[in-house]
């Protein structure tokens, strides 16, 4: 699978400008890419001002994602603020080339920033099946909770989108590698760059780690599009030789 990681600065609470910015970057991507990954809250930045900027599932940004996916014939994913039944969600959408949508609502809300006071936590772990790949969707703070991400579904790719600040970059780098090693899975992490309205600096460090913890794409700090190609067969062969997942603990998550 060929994946494009888009590491970008974000316009604060301005969905229109962010859509234009990302579309310009997407238009530079080769047509043979299978999946495009955008950061967390890519249309607004990591804001707690949900009532002012939230969109509905039939809103402009979702329609824009569907249009791009159909036009370019690739899947596209990233999170944005969605309102449903008077509740706000940090929702990661996975839009297929057909325009079909599956989504994951962020489970672990970042209480340090008050995210839990404004948003509703997701209740389900979501595994998307695309091009014979099983992809586990996760958002930012989820990275700190390995039990929730544990590979009990034999997924092939663990995908994190984030607004992870510079001050905790070491944790981001370390935990992405840990999730790859412990789950014998590819891990893709896509973060933003730039200064947000709360004066938090982000240096990206978007990266791709293989199932043994080796970098396929080392952490990057520039605003750019990075393209990688993943080999599922090599991962499956390694799992046969190093069958660590068979010895994993069994557990039940209570939500």
């Amino acid at each position: 699978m060929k994946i494009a990681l888009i590491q970008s600065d974000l316009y604060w609470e301005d969905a229109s400008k962010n859509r234009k910015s990302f579309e310009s970057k997407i238009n530079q991507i080769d047509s043979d890419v299978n999946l495009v990954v955008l950061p967390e809250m890519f249309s607004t930045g990591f804001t707690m001002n949900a009532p002012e900027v939230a969109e509905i599932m039939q809103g402009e940004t979702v329609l824009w994602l569907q249009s791009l996916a159909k036009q370019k014939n690739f899947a596209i994913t990233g999170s944005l603020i969605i309102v449903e039944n008077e509740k706000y969600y940090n929702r990661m959408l996975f839009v297929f080339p057909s325009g079909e949508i599956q989504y994951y609502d962020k489970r672990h809300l970042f209480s340090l920033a008050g995210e839990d006071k404004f948003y509703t936590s997701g209740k389900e772990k979501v595994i998307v099946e695309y091009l014979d790949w099983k992809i586990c969707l996760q958002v930012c703070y989820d990275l700190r909770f390995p039990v929730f991400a544990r590979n009990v579904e034999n997924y092939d790719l663990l995908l994190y989108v984030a607004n992870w600040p510079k001050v905790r970059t070491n944790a981001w780098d370390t935990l992405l590698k840990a999730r790859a090693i412990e789950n014998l899975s590819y891990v893709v992490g896509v973060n933003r760059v730039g200064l947000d309205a709360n004066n938090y600096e982000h240096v990206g460090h978007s990266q791709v780690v293989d199932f043994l913890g080796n970098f396929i794409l080392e952490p990057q700090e520039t605003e750019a599009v990075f393209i990688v190609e993943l080999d599922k067969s090599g991962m499956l062969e390694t799992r046969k030789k190093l069958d660590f997942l068979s010895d994993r603990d069994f557990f039940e998550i209570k939500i």
Side-chain angles (χ1 to χ4, degrees), residues 110 140-146 160 162 164-180 187 189 191 203-205 207 209 215 219:
F110 190 48
C140 201
Y141 193 42
D142 288 328
L143 180 59
R144 290 186 177 270
F145 302 91
Y160 289 93
W164 198 285
K166 177 182 179 180
V167 67
R168 291 185 288 278
T169 297
N170 182 58
W172 167 259
D173 291 343
T174 302
L175 294 175
L176 286 172
K177 274 205 167 192
R179 297 296 85 82
V187 171
N191 192 26
V203 293
H205 273 231
Q207 58 193 268
V209 186
F215 283 124

Side-chain angles (χ1 to χ4, degrees), residues 99-245:
E100 176 194 351
I101 297 174
Q102 289 184 243
Y103 65 83
Y104 161 69
D105 291 328
K106 186 178 181 181
R107 166 76 184 112
H108 300 93
L109 302 178
F110 190 48
S111 57
L112 191 63
E115 188 181 13
D116 58 321
K117 295 179 174 64
F118 299 97
Y119 296 89
T120 298
S121 175
K123 303 300 181 187
E124 296 181 3
K125 185 177 180 181
V126 175
I127 310 292
V128 168
E129 295 192 20
Y130 174 58
L131 298 180
D132 200 34
W133 284 71
K134 296 174 71 174
I135 304 171
C136 182
L137 306 183
Q138 302 269 279
V139 179
C140 201
Y141 193 42
D142 288 328
L143 180 59
R144 290 186 177 270
F145 302 91
V147 173
F148 187 67
R150 191 63 169 131
N151 193 359
V152 296
E153 302 87 359
N154 289 318
Y155 59 68
D156 309 303
L157 170 61
L158 186 55
L159 182 57
Y160 289 93
V161 298
N163 270 219
W164 198 285
K166 177 182 179 180
V167 67
R168 291 185 288 278
T169 297
N170 182 58
W172 167 259
D173 291 343
T174 302
L175 294 175
L176 286 172
K177 274 205 167 192
R179 297 296 85 82
I181 293 167
E182 70 197 9
N183 292 304
L184 279 176
S185 171
Y186 286 108
V187 171
V188 170
V190 176
N191 192 26
R192 66 162 291 178
V193 293
L195 194 69
D196 70 17
N198 295 314
N199 289 318
Y200 286 108
E201 185 180 1
H202 304 77
V203 293
H205 273 231
S206 296
Q207 58 193 268
V208 181
V209 186
D210 77 6
F211 38 87
L212 294 176
N214 302 303
F215 283 124
I216 295 173
L217 175 70
E218 294 189 353
Q220 302 292 316
E221 295 191 351
T222 58
E223 183 170 14
V225 178
F226 306 98
I227 296 177
V228 299
E229 192 160 5
L230 306 184
D231 172 27
K232 183 179 174 182
S233 62
M235 180 192 67
L236 295 178
E237 186 62 32
T238 297
R239 284 184 181 176
K240 288 180 181 178
K241 292 178 180 178
L242 305 174
D243 192 18
F244 302 139
L245 292 177

